[in-house]
Amino acid sequence: MNNLKSPSGRALALAAALTVLATPAFAQDRFDRGGDRAGERDHRLAGAGVSRLLPELRRTPRGRAFVMRNFDRNDDGRINPREANEANRAFLRLAGGGRRDRFDWERRDIARPVAEHREWDRRGMRGYRMRQTEQGATFDLQDVLFETGSARLRPMAAERLRPLASYLSANPDVPVRIDGHTDSVGGDAANQLLSERRAGTVRAALSTMGVYEGEFLVAGHGETIPAASNANAAGRQLNRRVEVTLVGQQARSFSE
């Protein structure tokens, strides 16, 4: 395992995360190339990634169906930039060296699900009360899950992490950021180390709960990114946290 405390370790972790973001969600021969047949609904595109889609995907009924049936991975009815890039790469592979505007959807029509959907704890995920951030759906694990001044998890932490472990086991292709933060009490070096250790402990706990696959970027930020004022106890408690971000996901999709 790379040492995330060193600049080189963090760089390698970030590179690994970016590699996953560029990896297609499914193998080429598993794509559902059906959709928009006679009597079926037209798939409409929405989301920040739509403008990135190739014209053959964005402007044609079969192209839109291909995108929504294969790359709306969290079923929120929207396409984000990462999903759009994956759809473009998949279509270019399917088209091969031929002209994209003459792609024969009918010949490649395969009406089968792309991948088996696995169940996960939807009620438990709603309980995290996620918020939308630039990177994805984010929620906080407060320091009450840890022993005071330590990276050791309390016994109740397992129950708190169980819905997340359920979701990640069912969705191993969703990249995850785990970011540790502290308040301003104590020295900078000690706070930095504690934030890194707490973030790493959360990742290790998920492994013990069966989350072996997937890509994780684990980092600590010490007291450098406060969520509230450190001038009072209530603010300091909010600052002592581990943020978990499901990269590229929509927070509202977990509140429905």
Tab-separated table of all heavy atoms in Angstrom, residues 68-105:
chain	number	residue	atom	x	y	z
A	68	MET	N	-28.752	6.162	-21.960
A	68	MET	CA	-29.514	6.063	-20.724
A	68	MET	C	-29.626	4.630	-20.215
A	68	MET	O	-29.669	4.392	-19.005
A	68	MET	CB	-30.916	6.649	-20.928
A	68	MET	CG	-30.918	8.150	-21.236
A	68	MET	SD	-30.018	9.145	-20.014
A	68	MET	CE	-31.015	8.850	-18.552
A	69	ARG	N	-29.659	3.644	-21.107
A	69	ARG	CA	-29.801	2.254	-20.680
A	69	ARG	C	-28.491	1.675	-20.162
A	69	ARG	O	-28.494	0.666	-19.447
A	69	ARG	CB	-30.326	1.403	-21.834
A	69	ARG	CG	-31.773	1.725	-22.207
A	69	ARG	CD	-32.146	1.137	-23.547
A	69	ARG	NE	-32.276	-0.313	-23.502
A	69	ARG	CZ	-33.433	-0.969	-23.506
A	69	ARG	NH1	-34.564	-0.288	-23.527
A	69	ARG	NH2	-33.480	-2.274	-23.492
A	70	ASN	N	-27.379	2.298	-20.514
A	70	ASN	CA	-26.085	1.741	-20.134
A	70	ASN	C	-25.276	2.585	-19.164
A	70	ASN	O	-24.476	2.040	-18.406
A	70	ASN	CB	-25.231	1.506	-21.375
A	70	ASN	CG	-25.756	0.394	-22.246
A	70	ASN	OD1	-25.658	-0.775	-21.910
A	70	ASN	ND2	-26.348	0.762	-23.376
A	71	PHE	N	-25.472	3.908	-19.165
A	71	PHE	CA	-24.523	4.757	-18.449
A	71	PHE	C	-25.140	5.633	-17.368
A	71	PHE	O	-24.408	6.356	-16.693
A	71	PHE	CB	-23.748	5.614	-19.460
A	71	PHE	CG	-22.943	4.775	-20.406
A	71	PHE	CD1	-23.440	4.457	-21.657
A	71	PHE	CD2	-21.727	4.250	-20.027
A	71	PHE	CE1	-22.726	3.652	-22.527
A	71	PHE	CE2	-21.001	3.441	-20.882
A	71	PHE	CZ	-21.493	3.138	-22.130
A	72	ASP	N	-26.453	5.585	-17.183
A	72	ASP	CA	-27.064	6.254	-16.035
A	72	ASP	C	-26.916	5.328	-14.839
A	72	ASP	O	-27.853	4.665	-14.410
A	72	ASP	CB	-28.536	6.563	-16.321
A	72	ASP	CG	-29.206	7.281	-15.153
A	72	ASP	OD1	-28.481	7.823	-14.303
A	72	ASP	OD2	-30.449	7.277	-15.101
A	73	ARG	N	-25.724	5.294	-14.284
A	73	ARG	CA	-25.369	4.224	-13.356
A	73	ARG	C	-26.088	4.319	-12.013
A	73	ARG	O	-26.261	3.314	-11.340
A	73	ARG	CB	-23.860	4.201	-13.155
A	73	ARG	CG	-23.123	3.910	-14.454
A	73	ARG	CD	-21.675	3.652	-14.221
A	73	ARG	NE	-21.037	4.758	-13.526
A	73	ARG	CZ	-19.784	4.745	-13.108
A	73	ARG	NH1	-19.057	3.671	-13.284
A	73	ARG	NH2	-19.251	5.786	-12.506
A	74	ASN	N	-26.475	5.519	-11.597
A	74	ASN	CA	-27.191	5.604	-10.321
A	74	ASN	C	-28.686	5.810	-10.518
A	74	ASN	O	-29.402	6.142	-9.568
A	74	ASN	CB	-26.619	6.729	-9.456
A	74	ASN	CG	-26.689	8.077	-10.146
A	74	ASN	OD1	-27.116	8.161	-11.290
A	74	ASN	ND2	-26.268	9.119	-9.457
A	75	ASP	N	-29.155	5.611	-11.764
A	75	ASP	CA	-30.596	5.645	-12.060
A	75	ASP	C	-31.264	6.941	-11.614
A	75	ASP	O	-32.401	6.933	-11.137
A	75	ASP	CB	-31.310	4.459	-11.394
A	75	ASP	CG	-30.831	3.129	-11.948
A	75	ASP	OD1	-30.565	3.054	-13.159
A	75	ASP	OD2	-30.709	2.165	-11.168
A	76	ASP	N	-30.579	8.081	-11.781
A	76	ASP	CA	-31.186	9.353	-11.415
A	76	ASP	C	-31.752	10.092	-12.617
A	76	ASP	O	-32.238	11.214	-12.487
A	76	ASP	CB	-30.186	10.246	-10.676
A	76	ASP	CG	-29.026	10.695	-11.561
A	76	ASP	OD1	-28.868	10.146	-12.671
A	76	ASP	OD2	-28.271	11.593	-11.132
A	77	GLY	N	-31.702	9.464	-13.807
A	77	GLY	CA	-32.246	10.088	-14.997
A	77	GLY	C	-31.398	11.200	-15.567
A	77	GLY	O	-31.849	11.951	-16.430
A	78	ARG	N	-30.135	11.299	-15.133
A	78	ARG	CA	-29.236	12.351	-15.588
A	78	ARG	C	-27.883	11.749	-15.959
A	78	ARG	O	-27.477	10.739	-15.400
A	78	ARG	CB	-29.054	13.427	-14.511
A	78	ARG	CG	-30.362	14.064	-14.055
A	78	ARG	CD	-30.148	15.045	-12.931
A	78	ARG	NE	-29.398	16.203	-13.365
A	78	ARG	CZ	-29.927	17.251	-13.976
A	78	ARG	NH1	-31.223	17.281	-14.232
A	78	ARG	NH2	-29.195	18.282	-14.319
A	79	ILE	N	-27.182	12.407	-16.873
A	79	ILE	CA	-25.862	11.964	-17.305
A	79	ILE	C	-24.826	12.996	-16.875
A	79	ILE	O	-24.914	14.169	-17.247
A	79	ILE	CB	-25.826	11.778	-18.842
A	79	ILE	CG1	-26.786	10.669	-19.265
A	79	ILE	CG2	-24.415	11.457	-19.322
A	79	ILE	CD1	-26.453	9.299	-18.708
A	80	ASN	N	-23.865	12.558	-16.061
A	80	ASN	CA	-22.812	13.475	-15.653
A	80	ASN	C	-21.638	13.383	-16.632
A	80	ASN	O	-21.603	12.500	-17.498
A	80	ASN	CB	-22.384	13.195	-14.201
A	80	ASN	CG	-21.806	11.802	-14.024
A	80	ASN	OD1	-20.997	11.342	-14.816
A	80	ASN	ND2	-22.215	11.120	-12.951
A	81	PRO	N	-20.650	14.279	-16.552
A	81	PRO	CA	-19.546	14.275	-17.520
A	81	PRO	C	-18.787	12.957	-17.585
A	81	PRO	O	-18.392	12.522	-18.674
A	81	PRO	CB	-18.652	15.416	-17.021
A	81	PRO	CG	-19.607	16.371	-16.375
A	81	PRO	CD	-20.616	15.491	-15.693
A	82	ARG	N	-18.588	12.301	-16.450
A	82	ARG	CA	-17.861	11.025	-16.480
A	82	ARG	C	-18.662	9.972	-17.234
A	82	ARG	O	-18.113	9.203	-18.043
A	82	ARG	CB	-17.584	10.551	-15.049
A	82	ARG	CG	-16.882	9.206	-14.982
A	82	ARG	CD	-16.322	8.970	-13.593
A	82	ARG	NE	-17.361	8.997	-12.597
A	82	ARG	CZ	-18.050	7.931	-12.204
A	82	ARG	NH1	-17.816	6.753	-12.770
A	82	ARG	NH2	-18.965	8.012	-11.270
A	83	GLU	N	-19.968	9.918	-16.992
A	83	GLU	CA	-20.814	8.952	-17.694
A	83	GLU	C	-20.850	9.242	-19.192
A	83	GLU	O	-20.858	8.321	-20.018
A	83	GLU	CB	-22.220	8.985	-17.101
A	83	GLU	CG	-22.284	8.455	-15.673
A	83	GLU	CD	-23.592	8.777	-14.972
A	83	GLU	OE1	-24.271	9.739	-15.378
A	83	GLU	OE2	-23.928	8.070	-14.005
A	84	ALA	N	-20.849	10.536	-19.554
A	84	ALA	CA	-20.841	10.904	-20.978
A	84	ALA	C	-19.556	10.453	-21.657
A	84	ALA	O	-19.571	9.925	-22.775
A	84	ALA	CB	-21.023	12.412	-21.123
A	85	ASN	N	-18.428	10.649	-20.977
A	85	ASN	CA	-17.147	10.221	-21.553
A	85	ASN	C	-17.113	8.710	-21.754
A	85	ASN	O	-16.605	8.210	-22.761
A	85	ASN	CB	-15.993	10.665	-20.656
A	85	ASN	CG	-15.796	12.174	-20.664
A	85	ASN	OD1	-16.209	12.844	-21.606
A	85	ASN	ND2	-15.188	12.698	-19.623
A	86	GLU	N	-17.658	7.959	-20.800
A	86	GLU	CA	-17.700	6.510	-20.923
A	86	GLU	C	-18.572	6.098	-22.107
A	86	GLU	O	-18.221	5.192	-22.873
A	86	GLU	CB	-18.244	5.884	-19.635
A	86	GLU	CG	-17.290	6.000	-18.454
A	86	GLU	CD	-17.885	5.427	-17.182
A	86	GLU	OE1	-19.070	5.022	-17.221
A	86	GLU	OE2	-17.169	5.375	-16.174
A	87	ALA	N	-19.719	6.778	-22.264
A	87	ALA	CA	-20.617	6.469	-23.381
A	87	ALA	C	-19.940	6.748	-24.717
A	87	ALA	O	-20.041	5.947	-25.664
A	87	ALA	CB	-21.902	7.281	-23.260
A	88	ASN	N	-19.225	7.865	-24.811
A	88	ASN	CA	-18.523	8.193	-26.058
A	88	ASN	C	-17.484	7.132	-26.395
A	88	ASN	O	-17.391	6.670	-27.549
A	88	ASN	CB	-17.842	9.551	-25.927
A	88	ASN	CG	-18.824	10.704	-25.947
A	88	ASN	OD1	-19.955	10.563	-26.405
A	88	ASN	ND2	-18.399	11.848	-25.439
A	89	ARG	N	-16.693	6.730	-25.406
A	89	ARG	CA	-15.641	5.744	-25.668
A	89	ARG	C	-16.253	4.409	-26.090
A	89	ARG	O	-15.748	3.737	-27.000
A	89	ARG	CB	-14.763	5.564	-24.423
A	89	ARG	CG	-13.783	6.699	-24.200
A	89	ARG	CD	-12.760	6.328	-23.138
A	89	ARG	NE	-13.388	6.159	-21.834
A	89	ARG	CZ	-13.515	7.131	-20.958
A	89	ARG	NH1	-13.099	8.346	-21.246
A	89	ARG	NH2	-14.079	6.921	-19.784
A	90	ALA	N	-17.339	4.025	-25.421
A	90	ALA	CA	-17.971	2.752	-25.763
A	90	ALA	C	-18.521	2.777	-27.189
A	90	ALA	O	-18.361	1.812	-27.946
A	90	ALA	CB	-19.104	2.451	-24.771
A	91	PHE	N	-19.165	3.886	-27.558
A	91	PHE	CA	-19.730	3.984	-28.908
A	91	PHE	C	-18.631	3.955	-29.970
A	91	PHE	O	-18.780	3.304	-31.018
A	91	PHE	CB	-20.557	5.256	-29.039
A	91	PHE	CG	-21.102	5.472	-30.422
A	91	PHE	CD1	-22.120	4.664	-30.914
A	91	PHE	CD2	-20.583	6.448	-31.238
A	91	PHE	CE1	-22.624	4.846	-32.186
A	91	PHE	CE2	-21.073	6.643	-32.517
A	91	PHE	CZ	-22.095	5.844	-32.999
A	92	LEU	N	-17.527	4.643	-29.714
A	92	LEU	CA	-16.434	4.648	-30.687
A	92	LEU	C	-15.854	3.251	-30.874
A	92	LEU	O	-15.476	2.865	-31.991
A	92	LEU	CB	-15.340	5.626	-30.242
A	92	LEU	CG	-15.711	7.113	-30.319
A	92	LEU	CD1	-14.614	7.966	-29.713
A	92	LEU	CD2	-15.992	7.531	-31.754
A	93	ARG	N	-15.806	2.467	-29.801
A	93	ARG	CA	-15.319	1.091	-29.940
A	93	ARG	C	-16.309	0.256	-30.745
A	93	ARG	O	-15.921	-0.572	-31.574
A	93	ARG	CB	-15.095	0.457	-28.568
A	93	ARG	CG	-13.857	0.972	-27.863
A	93	ARG	CD	-13.443	0.031	-26.739
A	93	ARG	NE	-14.543	-0.228	-25.818
A	93	ARG	CZ	-14.857	0.552	-24.804
A	93	ARG	NH1	-14.176	1.663	-24.598
A	93	ARG	NH2	-15.854	0.243	-23.991
A	94	LEU	N	-17.589	0.459	-30.478
A	94	LEU	CA	-18.604	-0.301	-31.216
A	94	LEU	C	-18.601	0.056	-32.701
A	94	LEU	O	-18.780	-0.805	-33.563
A	94	LEU	CB	-19.991	-0.026	-30.634
A	94	LEU	CG	-20.268	-0.580	-29.229
A	94	LEU	CD1	-21.619	-0.104	-28.742
A	94	LEU	CD2	-20.203	-2.091	-29.216
A	95	ALA	N	-18.408	1.334	-32.984
A	95	ALA	CA	-18.412	1.771	-34.379
A	95	ALA	C	-17.165	1.320	-35.116
A	95	ALA	O	-17.177	1.202	-36.345
A	95	ALA	CB	-18.545	3.295	-34.439
A	96	GLY	N	-16.078	1.052	-34.381
A	96	GLY	CA	-14.848	0.603	-35.015
A	96	GLY	C	-14.315	1.646	-35.981
A	96	GLY	O	-14.310	2.833	-35.711
A	97	GLY	N	-13.899	1.200	-37.152
A	97	GLY	CA	-13.354	2.127	-38.132
A	97	GLY	C	-14.389	2.673	-39.085
A	97	GLY	O	-14.053	3.432	-40.001
A	98	GLY	N	-15.660	2.291	-38.913
A	98	GLY	CA	-16.704	2.751	-39.823
A	98	GLY	C	-17.162	4.166	-39.517
A	98	GLY	O	-16.775	4.765	-38.513
A	99	ARG	N	-17.990	4.679	-40.390
A	99	ARG	CA	-18.530	6.008	-40.181
A	99	ARG	C	-19.557	5.983	-39.069
A	99	ARG	O	-20.500	5.200	-39.087
A	99	ARG	CB	-19.154	6.524	-41.478
A	99	ARG	CG	-18.150	6.874	-42.548
A	99	ARG	CD	-18.832	7.483	-43.758
A	99	ARG	NE	-19.680	8.623	-43.396
A	99	ARG	CZ	-20.335	9.362	-44.303
A	99	ARG	NH1	-20.250	9.044	-45.588
A	99	ARG	NH2	-21.088	10.376	-43.917
A	100	ARG	N	-19.372	6.889	-38.119
A	100	ARG	CA	-20.268	6.902	-36.964
A	100	ARG	C	-21.695	7.246	-37.369
A	100	ARG	O	-22.651	6.736	-36.784
A	100	ARG	CB	-19.760	7.901	-35.926
A	100	ARG	CG	-18.358	7.630	-35.412
A	100	ARG	CD	-18.105	8.350	-34.114
A	100	ARG	NE	-18.432	9.759	-34.154
A	100	ARG	CZ	-17.558	10.738	-34.333
A	100	ARG	NH1	-16.281	10.436	-34.541
A	100	ARG	NH2	-17.926	12.005	-34.327
A	101	ASP	N	-21.852	8.122	-38.372
A	101	ASP	CA	-23.198	8.545	-38.739
A	101	ASP	C	-23.971	7.458	-39.483
A	101	ASP	O	-25.166	7.606	-39.743
A	101	ASP	CB	-23.156	9.827	-39.580
A	101	ASP	CG	-22.342	9.656	-40.865
A	101	ASP	OD1	-21.602	8.654	-40.974
A	101	ASP	OD2	-22.446	10.528	-41.743
A	102	ARG	N	-23.282	6.352	-39.844
A	102	ARG	CA	-23.951	5.232	-40.513
A	102	ARG	C	-23.955	3.981	-39.637
A	102	ARG	O	-24.116	2.871	-40.131
A	102	ARG	CB	-23.256	4.929	-41.841
A	102	ARG	CG	-23.391	6.069	-42.855
A	102	ARG	CD	-22.762	5.698	-44.183
A	102	ARG	NE	-22.892	6.775	-45.157
A	102	ARG	CZ	-22.387	6.730	-46.390
A	102	ARG	NH1	-21.715	5.651	-46.786
A	102	ARG	NH2	-22.544	7.749	-47.214
A	103	PHE	N	-23.787	4.192	-38.342
A	103	PHE	CA	-23.758	3.062	-37.419
A	103	PHE	C	-25.089	2.317	-37.473
A	103	PHE	O	-26.165	2.913	-37.371
A	103	PHE	CB	-23.481	3.556	-36.005
A	103	PHE	CG	-23.356	2.453	-34.994
A	103	PHE	CD1	-22.236	1.642	-34.972
A	103	PHE	CD2	-24.366	2.227	-34.075
A	103	PHE	CE1	-22.112	0.635	-34.029
A	103	PHE	CE2	-24.248	1.223	-33.132
A	103	PHE	CZ	-23.120	0.421	-33.120
A	104	ASP	N	-25.040	1.000	-37.622
A	104	ASP	CA	-26.238	0.170	-37.786
A	104	ASP	C	-26.714	-0.327	-36.421
A	104	ASP	O	-26.303	-1.374	-35.938
A	104	ASP	CB	-25.916	-1.006	-38.710
A	104	ASP	CG	-27.167	-1.801	-39.070
A	104	ASP	OD1	-28.228	-1.523	-38.487
A	104	ASP	OD2	-27.076	-2.687	-39.941
A	105	TRP	N	-27.615	0.439	-35.812
A	105	TRP	CA	-28.144	0.054	-34.511
A	105	TRP	C	-28.954	-1.227	-34.604
A	105	TRP	O	-28.920	-2.059	-33.696
A	105	TRP	CB	-29.021	1.174	-33.952
A	105	TRP	CG	-28.263	2.384	-33.512
A	105	TRP	CD1	-28.172	3.573	-34.164
A	105	TRP	CD2	-27.486	2.539	-32.307
A	105	TRP	NE1	-27.383	4.449	-33.464
A	105	TRP	CE2	-26.956	3.838	-32.308
A	105	TRP	CE3	-27.196	1.689	-31.235
A	105	TRP	CZ2	-26.154	4.326	-31.286
A	105	TRP	CZ3	-26.401	2.163	-30.213
A	105	TRP	CH2	-25.884	3.467	-30.245
